[in-house]
Amino acid sequence: MTESPVPAAARVVRPAVFLDRDGTINEDVGYLSELSHLTLFPWAIDAVRLLNRAGYLVVMVTNQGGIGRKMIRPEFVPHLHAVIDQRLAAGGARVDGWYSCPHHPAALVESLRVDCACRKPAPGMALDAARDLGIDLARSWVIGDKWIDVQLAHNVGGRAVLVRTGWGRLEEAVRPPGQTVEAICDSLAGAVAFLLEADHGGPGAAA
Ligand SMILES: [Mg+2]
Ligand SMILES: [Zn+2]
């Protein structure tokens, strides 16, 4: 479900940082269904701003199976995202695209009870964004608090950072067999610092 499509046009292909929402930029409260339950982490706005200034597209990718499960009103999601956009804008930060998956294998809404191509770790949202926004997936990253976020990155040939906020500490303790990840950081702030150094730092990079 694309909420803020950008018309496809001739444009430069850029790297993106795909961000998970709940547990990564804001406190994970279970099914976030009321604006009053939104708490952005104190570093979230500046972390996004750093990515903007470094030239990455910033794309939010969020599983919102609570829509199909009738825990979340469908119209609430774009409203919430508009509010987050406003708070980011007030701090000089910007999200280039919002993508959410309303499906769930146990959805009560029959039309949403599907084995979709967009529920993370399936790559649908990242592939849609790549087409909509012009993204070089191999130079891109996913930051999230669950292994499904890491798997999304690897499913599209990108790189990933797991953060210990949200579910991250629990996830870290139950790493799936054979699961790799480029880094595990305490928060989005650390993850952004890590990837900026990985892409732009290193000996001689700023000589
Ligand atoms: Mg999450
Ligand atoms: Zn889906």
Side-chain angles (χ1 to χ4, degrees):
M1 183 165 70
T2 301
E3 289 163 27
S4 47
V6 170
R11 71 235 137 146
V12 180
V13 175
R14 292 161 62 187
V17 177
F18 295 94
L19 299 177
D20 170 54
R21 194 191 79 187
D22 301 331
T24 301
I25 69 160
N26 57 272
E27 301 274 5
D28 192 325
V29 295
Y31 292 111
L32 177 48
S33 59
E34 300 291 337
L35 201 49
S36 62
H37 297 163
L38 171 67
T39 305
L40 289 175
F41 290 124
W43 49 78
I45 293 172
D46 290 322
V48 171
R49 191 173 49 80
L50 283 172
L51 295 172
N52 296 145
R53 289 175 62 89
Y56 297 90
L57 291 162
V58 176
V59 181
M60 302 294 310
V61 285
T62 178
N63 281 356
Q64 293 299 317
I67 297 171
R69 308 192 85 181
K70 294 193 172 180
M71 310 288 286
I72 300 170
R73 289 167 288 117
E75 66 274 16
F76 173 72
V77 173
H79 172 62
L80 174 68
H81 295 171
V83 169
I84 294 174
D85 277 340
Q86 287 169 9
R87 294 191 190 174
L88 290 169
R94 179 190 75 253
V95 167
D96 296 290
W98 283 94
Y99 294 81
S100 55
C101 165
H103 310 110
H104 193 280
L108 299 170
V109 180
E110 196 174 346
S111 63
L112 298 178
R113 194 190 314 137
V114 294
D115 187 17
C116 67
C118 48
R119 182 173 169 81
K120 295 181 288 187
M125 291 190 284
L127 296 177
D128 284 350
R131 188 186 54 238
D132 294 343
L133 303 171
I135 292 170
D136 181 350
L137 291 169
R139 288 195 293 147
S140 297
W141 296 82
V142 178
I143 303 174
D145 68 323
K146 292 187 177 177
W147 292 115
I148 56 171
D149 298 304
V150 174
Q151 291 157 2
L152 168 65
H154 294 171
N155 284 343
V156 296
R159 298 158 292 171
V161 182
L162 182 75
V163 290
R164 295 191 176 100
T165 50
W167 288 91
R169 281 186 191 284
L170 289 169
E171 291 278 286
E172 185 180 12
V174 290
R175 184 191 289 235
Q179 178 71 58
T180 60
V181 65
E182 279 65 27
I184 301 177
C185 296
D186 282 347
S187 73
L188 176 62
V192 168
F194 171 82
L195 76 84
L196 288 175
E197 288 191 354
D199 281 355
H200 304 288

